[in-house]
Amino acid sequence: MTKVVLTVDDSRTMRDMLRLALAEASFEVVQAVDGVHGLEVLSQTEPDVIITDINMPNMDGFGFIEAVRRDERRRGTPILVLTTESDAAKKQRARAAGATGWIVKPFDPAKLVDAVRRVAA
């Protein structure tokens, strides 16, 4: 059965790179442009894994993760943060919000796919 990955990132280029890497690994990819849009997409799909950026307009990644975790049905959905940020305080804030893991941009497609496979199992 095909695993579904929701990617939430305001950069079209990054969304395209994620879609390409994940689709090549046989994942179905659903995309959103920011946290608000991500919550809208979540109301219509059941992703196995969520990948989100932190720095986005309208609702940032922290707010998005917190909103996802408030939904009982989504408490167990793995959330990977994909960001240019590498600050320890931000990593801790993401963990406290409910993030499962952290990947720094630019990402290695093979390592990204491996991380998604690990948490989607």
PDB file of all heavy atoms in Angstrom, residues 5-43:
ATOM      1  N   VAL A   5       2.568  11.227   1.947  1.00  0.00           N
ATOM      2  CA  VAL A   5       3.365  12.227   2.659  1.00  0.00           C
ATOM      3  C   VAL A   5       2.800  13.607   2.340  1.00  0.00           C
ATOM      4  O   VAL A   5       2.639  13.966   1.173  1.00  0.00           O
ATOM      5  CB  VAL A   5       4.856  12.174   2.250  1.00  0.00           C
ATOM      6  CG1 VAL A   5       5.657  13.233   3.008  1.00  0.00           C
ATOM      7  CG2 VAL A   5       5.445  10.789   2.490  1.00  0.00           C
ATOM      8  N   LEU A   6       2.492  14.375   3.391  1.00  0.00           N
ATOM      9  CA  LEU A   6       2.084  15.769   3.234  1.00  0.00           C
ATOM     10  C   LEU A   6       3.318  16.636   3.426  1.00  0.00           C
ATOM     11  O   LEU A   6       3.987  16.531   4.458  1.00  0.00           O
ATOM     12  CB  LEU A   6       1.018  16.146   4.271  1.00  0.00           C
ATOM     13  CG  LEU A   6       0.712  17.649   4.417  1.00  0.00           C
ATOM     14  CD1 LEU A   6       0.189  18.243   3.122  1.00  0.00           C
ATOM     15  CD2 LEU A   6      -0.257  17.889   5.561  1.00  0.00           C
ATOM     16  N   THR A   7       3.631  17.472   2.426  1.00  0.00           N
ATOM     17  CA  THR A   7       4.740  18.415   2.568  1.00  0.00           C
ATOM     18  C   THR A   7       4.162  19.820   2.692  1.00  0.00           C
ATOM     19  O   THR A   7       3.239  20.182   1.967  1.00  0.00           O
ATOM     20  CB  THR A   7       5.709  18.351   1.358  1.00  0.00           C
ATOM     21  OG1 THR A   7       5.033  18.760   0.170  1.00  0.00           O
ATOM     22  CG2 THR A   7       6.269  16.948   1.185  1.00  0.00           C
ATOM     23  N   VAL A   8       4.687  20.584   3.658  1.00  0.00           N
ATOM     24  CA  VAL A   8       4.210  21.942   3.915  1.00  0.00           C
ATOM     25  C   VAL A   8       5.422  22.874   3.834  1.00  0.00           C
ATOM     26  O   VAL A   8       6.293  22.832   4.696  1.00  0.00           O
ATOM     27  CB  VAL A   8       3.537  22.044   5.306  1.00  0.00           C
ATOM     28  CG1 VAL A   8       2.945  23.435   5.503  1.00  0.00           C
ATOM     29  CG2 VAL A   8       2.474  20.965   5.485  1.00  0.00           C
ATOM     30  N   ASP A   9       5.478  23.668   2.765  1.00  0.00           N
ATOM     31  CA  ASP A   9       6.624  24.566   2.566  1.00  0.00           C
ATOM     32  C   ASP A   9       6.192  25.700   1.653  1.00  0.00           C
ATOM     33  O   ASP A   9       5.502  25.465   0.659  1.00  0.00           O
ATOM     34  CB  ASP A   9       7.798  23.795   1.940  1.00  0.00           C
ATOM     35  CG  ASP A   9       9.126  24.518   2.133  1.00  0.00           C
ATOM     36  OD1 ASP A   9       9.247  25.687   1.694  1.00  0.00           O
ATOM     37  OD2 ASP A   9      10.045  23.919   2.720  1.00  0.00           O
ATOM     38  N   ASP A  10       6.582  26.928   1.982  1.00  0.00           N
ATOM     39  CA  ASP A  10       6.181  28.075   1.169  1.00  0.00           C
ATOM     40  C   ASP A  10       7.024  28.226  -0.093  1.00  0.00           C
ATOM     41  O   ASP A  10       6.674  29.004  -0.971  1.00  0.00           O
ATOM     42  CB  ASP A  10       6.209  29.373   1.997  1.00  0.00           C
ATOM     43  CG  ASP A  10       7.575  29.671   2.585  1.00  0.00           C
ATOM     44  OD1 ASP A  10       8.237  28.734   3.081  1.00  0.00           O
ATOM     45  OD2 ASP A  10       7.983  30.843   2.569  1.00  0.00           O
ATOM     46  N   SER A  11       8.102  27.476  -0.224  1.00  0.00           N
ATOM     47  CA  SER A  11       8.956  27.563  -1.413  1.00  0.00           C
ATOM     48  C   SER A  11       8.512  26.549  -2.464  1.00  0.00           C
ATOM     49  O   SER A  11       8.550  25.343  -2.222  1.00  0.00           O
ATOM     50  CB  SER A  11      10.415  27.282  -1.018  1.00  0.00           C
ATOM     51  OG  SER A  11      11.177  26.967  -2.163  1.00  0.00           O
ATOM     52  N   ARG A  12       8.112  27.059  -3.628  1.00  0.00           N
ATOM     53  CA  ARG A  12       7.698  26.171  -4.724  1.00  0.00           C
ATOM     54  C   ARG A  12       8.849  25.237  -5.103  1.00  0.00           C
ATOM     55  O   ARG A  12       8.653  24.048  -5.343  1.00  0.00           O
ATOM     56  CB  ARG A  12       7.263  26.989  -5.935  1.00  0.00           C
ATOM     57  CG  ARG A  12       6.925  26.124  -7.148  1.00  0.00           C
ATOM     58  CD  ARG A  12       6.569  26.946  -8.367  1.00  0.00           C
ATOM     59  NE  ARG A  12       5.333  27.693  -8.207  1.00  0.00           N
ATOM     60  CZ  ARG A  12       4.118  27.173  -8.362  1.00  0.00           C
ATOM     61  NH1 ARG A  12       3.996  25.906  -8.648  1.00  0.00           N
ATOM     62  NH2 ARG A  12       3.054  27.927  -8.219  1.00  0.00           N
ATOM     63  N   THR A  13      10.069  25.767  -5.160  1.00  0.00           N
ATOM     64  CA  THR A  13      11.230  24.962  -5.514  1.00  0.00           C
ATOM     65  C   THR A  13      11.409  23.810  -4.526  1.00  0.00           C
ATOM     66  O   THR A  13      11.631  22.668  -4.925  1.00  0.00           O
ATOM     67  CB  THR A  13      12.506  25.843  -5.547  1.00  0.00           C
ATOM     68  OG1 THR A  13      12.302  26.895  -6.476  1.00  0.00           O
ATOM     69  CG2 THR A  13      13.726  25.041  -5.920  1.00  0.00           C
ATOM     70  N   MET A  14      11.282  24.116  -3.236  1.00  0.00           N
ATOM     71  CA  MET A  14      11.447  23.075  -2.222  1.00  0.00           C
ATOM     72  C   MET A  14      10.323  22.032  -2.341  1.00  0.00           C
ATOM     73  O   MET A  14      10.569  20.834  -2.235  1.00  0.00           O
ATOM     74  CB  MET A  14      11.454  23.707  -0.819  1.00  0.00           C
ATOM     75  CG  MET A  14      11.849  22.728   0.268  1.00  0.00           C
ATOM     76  SD  MET A  14      13.423  21.858   0.025  1.00  0.00           S
ATOM     77  CE  MET A  14      14.571  23.212  -0.062  1.00  0.00           C
ATOM     78  N   ARG A  15       9.088  22.491  -2.571  1.00  0.00           N
ATOM     79  CA  ARG A  15       7.974  21.539  -2.748  1.00  0.00           C
ATOM     80  C   ARG A  15       8.229  20.630  -3.935  1.00  0.00           C
ATOM     81  O   ARG A  15       7.992  19.420  -3.875  1.00  0.00           O
ATOM     82  CB  ARG A  15       6.640  22.280  -2.912  1.00  0.00           C
ATOM     83  CG  ARG A  15       6.139  22.922  -1.643  1.00  0.00           C
ATOM     84  CD  ARG A  15       4.677  23.370  -1.747  1.00  0.00           C
ATOM     85  NE  ARG A  15       4.362  24.163  -2.924  1.00  0.00           N
ATOM     86  CZ  ARG A  15       4.479  25.482  -3.011  1.00  0.00           C
ATOM     87  NH1 ARG A  15       4.907  26.187  -1.969  1.00  0.00           N
ATOM     88  NH2 ARG A  15       4.150  26.117  -4.128  1.00  0.00           N
ATOM     89  N   ASP A  16       8.741  21.214  -5.030  1.00  0.00           N
ATOM     90  CA  ASP A  16       9.045  20.416  -6.223  1.00  0.00           C
ATOM     91  C   ASP A  16      10.144  19.397  -5.937  1.00  0.00           C
ATOM     92  O   ASP A  16      10.058  18.238  -6.364  1.00  0.00           O
ATOM     93  CB  ASP A  16       9.462  21.314  -7.394  1.00  0.00           C
ATOM     94  CG  ASP A  16       8.297  22.123  -7.962  1.00  0.00           C
ATOM     95  OD1 ASP A  16       7.119  21.829  -7.623  1.00  0.00           O
ATOM     96  OD2 ASP A  16       8.567  23.059  -8.740  1.00  0.00           O
ATOM     97  N   MET A  17      11.181  19.807  -5.226  1.00  0.00           N
ATOM     98  CA  MET A  17      12.283  18.894  -4.885  1.00  0.00           C
ATOM     99  C   MET A  17      11.792  17.764  -3.992  1.00  0.00           C
ATOM    100  O   MET A  17      12.166  16.599  -4.182  1.00  0.00           O
ATOM    101  CB  MET A  17      13.420  19.667  -4.197  1.00  0.00           C
ATOM    102  CG  MET A  17      14.167  20.575  -5.158  1.00  0.00           C
ATOM    103  SD  MET A  17      15.304  21.728  -4.333  1.00  0.00           S
ATOM    104  CE  MET A  17      16.363  20.633  -3.428  1.00  0.00           C
ATOM    105  N   LEU A  18      10.948  18.097  -3.022  1.00  0.00           N
ATOM    106  CA  LEU A  18      10.389  17.073  -2.137  1.00  0.00           C
ATOM    107  C   LEU A  18       9.520  16.097  -2.928  1.00  0.00           C
ATOM    108  O   LEU A  18       9.626  14.876  -2.756  1.00  0.00           O
ATOM    109  CB  LEU A  18       9.566  17.727  -1.019  1.00  0.00           C
ATOM    110  CG  LEU A  18      10.369  18.397   0.085  1.00  0.00           C
ATOM    111  CD1 LEU A  18       9.469  19.308   0.915  1.00  0.00           C
ATOM    112  CD2 LEU A  18      11.036  17.350   0.965  1.00  0.00           C
ATOM    113  N   ARG A  19       8.654  16.642  -3.784  1.00  0.00           N
ATOM    114  CA  ARG A  19       7.763  15.781  -4.566  1.00  0.00           C
ATOM    115  C   ARG A  19       8.576  14.823  -5.431  1.00  0.00           C
ATOM    116  O   ARG A  19       8.289  13.633  -5.498  1.00  0.00           O
ATOM    117  CB  ARG A  19       6.812  16.598  -5.432  1.00  0.00           C
ATOM    118  CG  ARG A  19       5.820  15.690  -6.181  1.00  0.00           C
ATOM    119  CD  ARG A  19       4.775  16.418  -6.994  1.00  0.00           C
ATOM    120  NE  ARG A  19       5.365  17.323  -7.959  1.00  0.00           N
ATOM    121  CZ  ARG A  19       5.159  18.641  -7.971  1.00  0.00           C
ATOM    122  NH1 ARG A  19       4.370  19.222  -7.094  1.00  0.00           N
ATOM    123  NH2 ARG A  19       5.738  19.393  -8.880  1.00  0.00           N
ATOM    124  N   LEU A  20       9.611  15.346  -6.092  1.00  0.00           N
ATOM    125  CA  LEU A  20      10.441  14.523  -6.954  1.00  0.00           C
ATOM    126  C   LEU A  20      11.118  13.394  -6.163  1.00  0.00           C
ATOM    127  O   LEU A  20      11.038  12.224  -6.542  1.00  0.00           O
ATOM    128  CB  LEU A  20      11.491  15.398  -7.643  1.00  0.00           C
ATOM    129  CG  LEU A  20      12.359  14.710  -8.693  1.00  0.00           C
ATOM    130  CD1 LEU A  20      11.497  14.256  -9.868  1.00  0.00           C
ATOM    131  CD2 LEU A  20      13.438  15.655  -9.192  1.00  0.00           C
ATOM    132  N   ALA A  21      11.757  13.739  -5.051  1.00  0.00           N
ATOM    133  CA  ALA A  21      12.470  12.735  -4.245  1.00  0.00           C
ATOM    134  C   ALA A  21      11.509  11.673  -3.699  1.00  0.00           C
ATOM    135  O   ALA A  21      11.806  10.475  -3.730  1.00  0.00           O
ATOM    136  CB  ALA A  21      13.217  13.418  -3.093  1.00  0.00           C
ATOM    137  N   LEU A  22      10.361  12.101  -3.204  1.00  0.00           N
ATOM    138  CA  LEU A  22       9.414  11.168  -2.586  1.00  0.00           C
ATOM    139  C   LEU A  22       8.665  10.337  -3.623  1.00  0.00           C
ATOM    140  O   LEU A  22       8.444   9.140  -3.429  1.00  0.00           O
ATOM    141  CB  LEU A  22       8.443  11.932  -1.685  1.00  0.00           C
ATOM    142  CG  LEU A  22       9.096  12.571  -0.457  1.00  0.00           C
ATOM    143  CD1 LEU A  22       8.166  13.604   0.169  1.00  0.00           C
ATOM    144  CD2 LEU A  22       9.506  11.514   0.560  1.00  0.00           C
ATOM    145  N   ALA A  23       8.282  10.960  -4.732  1.00  0.00           N
ATOM    146  CA  ALA A  23       7.563  10.224  -5.783  1.00  0.00           C
ATOM    147  C   ALA A  23       8.467   9.150  -6.391  1.00  0.00           C
ATOM    148  O   ALA A  23       8.008   8.039  -6.676  1.00  0.00           O
ATOM    149  CB  ALA A  23       7.052  11.177  -6.854  1.00  0.00           C
ATOM    150  N   GLU A  24       9.747   9.463  -6.557  1.00  0.00           N
ATOM    151  CA  GLU A  24      10.688   8.470  -7.089  1.00  0.00           C
ATOM    152  C   GLU A  24      10.810   7.268  -6.160  1.00  0.00           C
ATOM    153  O   GLU A  24      11.138   6.172  -6.592  1.00  0.00           O
ATOM    154  CB  GLU A  24      12.069   9.095  -7.317  1.00  0.00           C
ATOM    155  CG  GLU A  24      12.144   9.924  -8.572  1.00  0.00           C
ATOM    156  CD  GLU A  24      13.523  10.489  -8.833  1.00  0.00           C
ATOM    157  OE1 GLU A  24      14.457  10.256  -8.030  1.00  0.00           O
ATOM    158  OE2 GLU A  24      13.671  11.182  -9.856  1.00  0.00           O
ATOM    159  N   ALA A  25      10.540   7.479  -4.870  1.00  0.00           N
ATOM    160  CA  ALA A  25      10.596   6.393  -3.871  1.00  0.00           C
ATOM    161  C   ALA A  25       9.211   5.778  -3.654  1.00  0.00           C
ATOM    162  O   ALA A  25       8.980   5.087  -2.663  1.00  0.00           O
ATOM    163  CB  ALA A  25      11.161   6.930  -2.560  1.00  0.00           C
ATOM    164  N   SER A  26       8.292   6.067  -4.573  1.00  0.00           N
ATOM    165  CA  SER A  26       6.935   5.481  -4.565  1.00  0.00           C
ATOM    166  C   SER A  26       6.018   5.979  -3.455  1.00  0.00           C
ATOM    167  O   SER A  26       5.080   5.281  -3.072  1.00  0.00           O
ATOM    168  CB  SER A  26       7.011   3.955  -4.528  1.00  0.00           C
ATOM    169  OG  SER A  26       7.694   3.491  -5.670  1.00  0.00           O
ATOM    170  N   PHE A  27       6.278   7.176  -2.946  1.00  0.00           N
ATOM    171  CA  PHE A  27       5.351   7.792  -1.995  1.00  0.00           C
ATOM    172  C   PHE A  27       4.349   8.631  -2.779  1.00  0.00           C
ATOM    173  O   PHE A  27       4.691   9.203  -3.818  1.00  0.00           O
ATOM    174  CB  PHE A  27       6.080   8.710  -1.006  1.00  0.00           C
ATOM    175  CG  PHE A  27       6.904   7.983   0.010  1.00  0.00           C
ATOM    176  CD1 PHE A  27       8.270   7.849  -0.144  1.00  0.00           C
ATOM    177  CD2 PHE A  27       6.301   7.427   1.135  1.00  0.00           C
ATOM    178  CE1 PHE A  27       9.040   7.177   0.793  1.00  0.00           C
ATOM    179  CE2 PHE A  27       7.059   6.754   2.082  1.00  0.00           C
ATOM    180  CZ  PHE A  27       8.435   6.626   1.903  1.00  0.00           C
ATOM    181  N   GLU A  28       3.118   8.704  -2.263  1.00  0.00           N
ATOM    182  CA  GLU A  28       2.155   9.650  -2.818  1.00  0.00           C
ATOM    183  C   GLU A  28       2.391  10.959  -2.080  1.00  0.00           C
ATOM    184  O   GLU A  28       2.508  10.970  -0.856  1.00  0.00           O
ATOM    185  CB  GLU A  28       0.724   9.158  -2.570  1.00  0.00           C
ATOM    186  CG  GLU A  28      -0.326  10.092  -3.122  1.00  0.00           C
ATOM    187  CD  GLU A  28      -1.748   9.620  -2.851  1.00  0.00           C
ATOM    188  OE1 GLU A  28      -1.962   8.407  -2.732  1.00  0.00           O
ATOM    189  OE2 GLU A  28      -2.626  10.495  -2.733  1.00  0.00           O
ATOM    190  N   VAL A  29       2.480  12.073  -2.808  1.00  0.00           N
ATOM    191  CA  VAL A  29       2.810  13.361  -2.196  1.00  0.00           C
ATOM    192  C   VAL A  29       1.634  14.324  -2.327  1.00  0.00           C
ATOM    193  O   VAL A  29       1.090  14.522  -3.404  1.00  0.00           O
ATOM    194  CB  VAL A  29       4.069  13.978  -2.844  1.00  0.00           C
ATOM    195  CG1 VAL A  29       4.424  15.302  -2.181  1.00  0.00           C
ATOM    196  CG2 VAL A  29       5.239  12.999  -2.768  1.00  0.00           C
ATOM    197  N   VAL A  30       1.246  14.900  -1.180  1.00  0.00           N
ATOM    198  CA  VAL A  30       0.215  15.934  -1.118  1.00  0.00           C
ATOM    199  C   VAL A  30       0.927  17.176  -0.593  1.00  0.00           C
ATOM    200  O   VAL A  30       1.753  17.073   0.315  1.00  0.00           O
ATOM    201  CB  VAL A  30      -0.922  15.508  -0.157  1.00  0.00           C
ATOM    202  CG1 VAL A  30      -2.024  16.541  -0.149  1.00  0.00           C
ATOM    203  CG2 VAL A  30      -1.458  14.149  -0.528  1.00  0.00           C
ATOM    204  N   GLN A  31       0.617  18.354  -1.157  1.00  0.00           N
ATOM    205  CA  GLN A  31       1.388  19.538  -0.791  1.00  0.00           C
ATOM    206  C   GLN A  31       0.540  20.695  -0.289  1.00  0.00           C
ATOM    207  O   GLN A  31      -0.633  20.826  -0.655  1.00  0.00           O
ATOM    208  CB  GLN A  31       2.220  19.997  -1.993  1.00  0.00           C
ATOM    209  CG  GLN A  31       3.204  18.918  -2.419  1.00  0.00           C
ATOM    210  CD  GLN A  31       4.176  19.394  -3.466  1.00  0.00           C
ATOM    211  OE1 GLN A  31       3.786  19.979  -4.460  1.00  0.00           O
ATOM    212  NE2 GLN A  31       5.447  19.151  -3.230  1.00  0.00           N
ATOM    213  N   ALA A  32       1.165  21.517   0.572  1.00  0.00           N
ATOM    214  CA  ALA A  32       0.540  22.731   1.087  1.00  0.00           C
ATOM    215  C   ALA A  32       1.592  23.835   1.107  1.00  0.00           C
ATOM    216  O   ALA A  32       2.781  23.565   1.254  1.00  0.00           O
ATOM    217  CB  ALA A  32      -0.017  22.493   2.486  1.00  0.00           C
ATOM    218  N   VAL A  33       1.126  25.101   0.996  1.00  0.00           N
ATOM    219  CA  VAL A  33       2.050  26.238   0.872  1.00  0.00           C
ATOM    220  C   VAL A  33       2.379  26.921   2.196  1.00  0.00           C
ATOM    221  O   VAL A  33       3.290  27.740   2.257  1.00  0.00           O
ATOM    222  CB  VAL A  33       1.531  27.283  -0.137  1.00  0.00           C
ATOM    223  CG1 VAL A  33       1.394  26.659  -1.525  1.00  0.00           C
ATOM    224  CG2 VAL A  33       0.202  27.867   0.305  1.00  0.00           C
ATOM    225  N   ASP A  34       1.625  26.630   3.259  1.00  0.00           N
ATOM    226  CA  ASP A  34       1.916  27.174   4.589  1.00  0.00           C
ATOM    227  C   ASP A  34       1.093  26.389   5.608  1.00  0.00           C
ATOM    228  O   ASP A  34       0.354  25.470   5.243  1.00  0.00           O
ATOM    229  CB  ASP A  34       1.628  28.684   4.674  1.00  0.00           C
ATOM    230  CG  ASP A  34       0.178  29.045   4.392  1.00  0.00           C
ATOM    231  OD1 ASP A  34      -0.733  28.255   4.722  1.00  0.00           O
ATOM    232  OD2 ASP A  34      -0.052  30.143   3.847  1.00  0.00           O
ATOM    233  N   GLY A  35       1.229  26.738   6.880  1.00  0.00           N
ATOM    234  CA  GLY A  35       0.532  25.997   7.926  1.00  0.00           C
ATOM    235  C   GLY A  35      -0.980  26.034   7.806  1.00  0.00           C
ATOM    236  O   GLY A  35      -1.661  25.030   8.024  1.00  0.00           O
ATOM    237  N   VAL A  36      -1.537  27.186   7.445  1.00  0.00           N
ATOM    238  CA  VAL A  36      -2.995  27.311   7.295  1.00  0.00           C
ATOM    239  C   VAL A  36      -3.484  26.374   6.190  1.00  0.00           C
ATOM    240  O   VAL A  36      -4.436  25.612   6.369  1.00  0.00           O
ATOM    241  CB  VAL A  36      -3.398  28.782   7.005  1.00  0.00           C
ATOM    242  CG1 VAL A  36      -4.874  28.874   6.663  1.00  0.00           C
ATOM    243  CG2 VAL A  36      -3.065  29.670   8.199  1.00  0.00           C
ATOM    244  N   HIS A  37      -2.801  26.428   5.052  1.00  0.00           N
ATOM    245  CA  HIS A  37      -3.155  25.554   3.929  1.00  0.00           C
ATOM    246  C   HIS A  37      -2.934  24.085   4.321  1.00  0.00           C
ATOM    247  O   HIS A  37      -3.717  23.208   3.955  1.00  0.00           O
ATOM    248  CB  HIS A  37      -2.330  25.941   2.692  1.00  0.00           C
ATOM    249  CG  HIS A  37      -2.724  25.198   1.456  1.00  0.00           C
ATOM    250  ND1 HIS A  37      -1.797  24.735   0.552  1.00  0.00           N
ATOM    251  CD2 HIS A  37      -3.934  24.826   0.966  1.00  0.00           C
ATOM    252  CE1 HIS A  37      -2.420  24.116  -0.442  1.00  0.00           C
ATOM    253  NE2 HIS A  37      -3.722  24.159  -0.213  1.00  0.00           N
ATOM    254  N   GLY A  38      -1.875  23.819   5.088  1.00  0.00           N
ATOM    255  CA  GLY A  38      -1.593  22.460   5.549  1.00  0.00           C
ATOM    256  C   GLY A  38      -2.745  21.884   6.355  1.00  0.00           C
ATOM    257  O   GLY A  38      -3.126  20.716   6.191  1.00  0.00           O
ATOM    258  N   LEU A  39      -3.350  22.698   7.224  1.00  0.00           N
ATOM    259  CA  LEU A  39      -4.493  22.239   8.019  1.00  0.00           C
ATOM    260  C   LEU A  39      -5.704  21.987   7.123  1.00  0.00           C
ATOM    261  O   LEU A  39      -6.463  21.026   7.351  1.00  0.00           O
ATOM    262  CB  LEU A  39      -4.825  23.250   9.120  1.00  0.00           C
ATOM    263  CG  LEU A  39      -3.746  23.399  10.199  1.00  0.00           C
ATOM    264  CD1 LEU A  39      -4.133  24.488  11.177  1.00  0.00           C
ATOM    265  CD2 LEU A  39      -3.495  22.076  10.928  1.00  0.00           C
ATOM    266  N   GLU A  40      -5.881  22.814   6.097  1.00  0.00           N
ATOM    267  CA  GLU A  40      -6.981  22.601   5.133  1.00  0.00           C
ATOM    268  C   GLU A  40      -6.792  21.275   4.409  1.00  0.00           C
ATOM    269  O   GLU A  40      -7.728  20.487   4.270  1.00  0.00           O
ATOM    270  CB  GLU A  40      -7.029  23.740   4.109  1.00  0.00           C
ATOM    271  CG  GLU A  40      -7.523  25.057   4.655  1.00  0.00           C
ATOM    272  CD  GLU A  40      -7.375  26.195   3.641  1.00  0.00           C
ATOM    273  OE1 GLU A  40      -7.157  25.931   2.429  1.00  0.00           O
ATOM    274  OE2 GLU A  40      -7.472  27.362   4.077  1.00  0.00           O
ATOM    275  N   VAL A  41      -5.560  21.019   3.951  1.00  0.00           N
ATOM    276  CA  VAL A  41      -5.272  19.771   3.237  1.00  0.00           C
ATOM    277  C   VAL A  41      -5.478  18.571   4.174  1.00  0.00           C
ATOM    278  O   VAL A  41      -6.025  17.547   3.773  1.00  0.00           O
ATOM    279  CB  VAL A  41      -3.835  19.799   2.658  1.00  0.00           C
ATOM    280  CG1 VAL A  41      -3.442  18.444   2.088  1.00  0.00           C
ATOM    281  CG2 VAL A  41      -3.717  20.878   1.584  1.00  0.00           C
ATOM    282  N   LEU A  42      -5.062  18.726   5.424  1.00  0.00           N
ATOM    283  CA  LEU A  42      -5.231  17.644   6.406  1.00  0.00           C
ATOM    284  C   LEU A  42      -6.694  17.277   6.630  1.00  0.00           C
ATOM    285  O   LEU A  42      -6.997  16.136   6.975  1.00  0.00           O
ATOM    286  CB  LEU A  42      -4.620  18.043   7.756  1.00  0.00           C
ATOM    287  CG  LEU A  42      -3.177  17.633   7.991  1.00  0.00           C
ATOM    288  CD1 LEU A  42      -2.709  18.132   9.345  1.00  0.00           C
ATOM    289  CD2 LEU A  42      -2.997  16.141   7.887  1.00  0.00           C
ATOM    290  N   SER A  43      -7.586  18.232   6.444  1.00  0.00           N
ATOM    291  CA  SER A  43      -9.005  17.942   6.642  1.00  0.00           C
ATOM    292  C   SER A  43      -9.549  17.049   5.528  1.00  0.00           C
ATOM    293  O   SER A  43     -10.638  16.501   5.645  1.00  0.00           O
ATOM    294  CB  SER A  43      -9.814  19.235   6.746  1.00  0.00           C
ATOM    295  OG  SER A  43      -9.893  19.875   5.477  1.00  0.00           O
TER     296      SER A  43
END
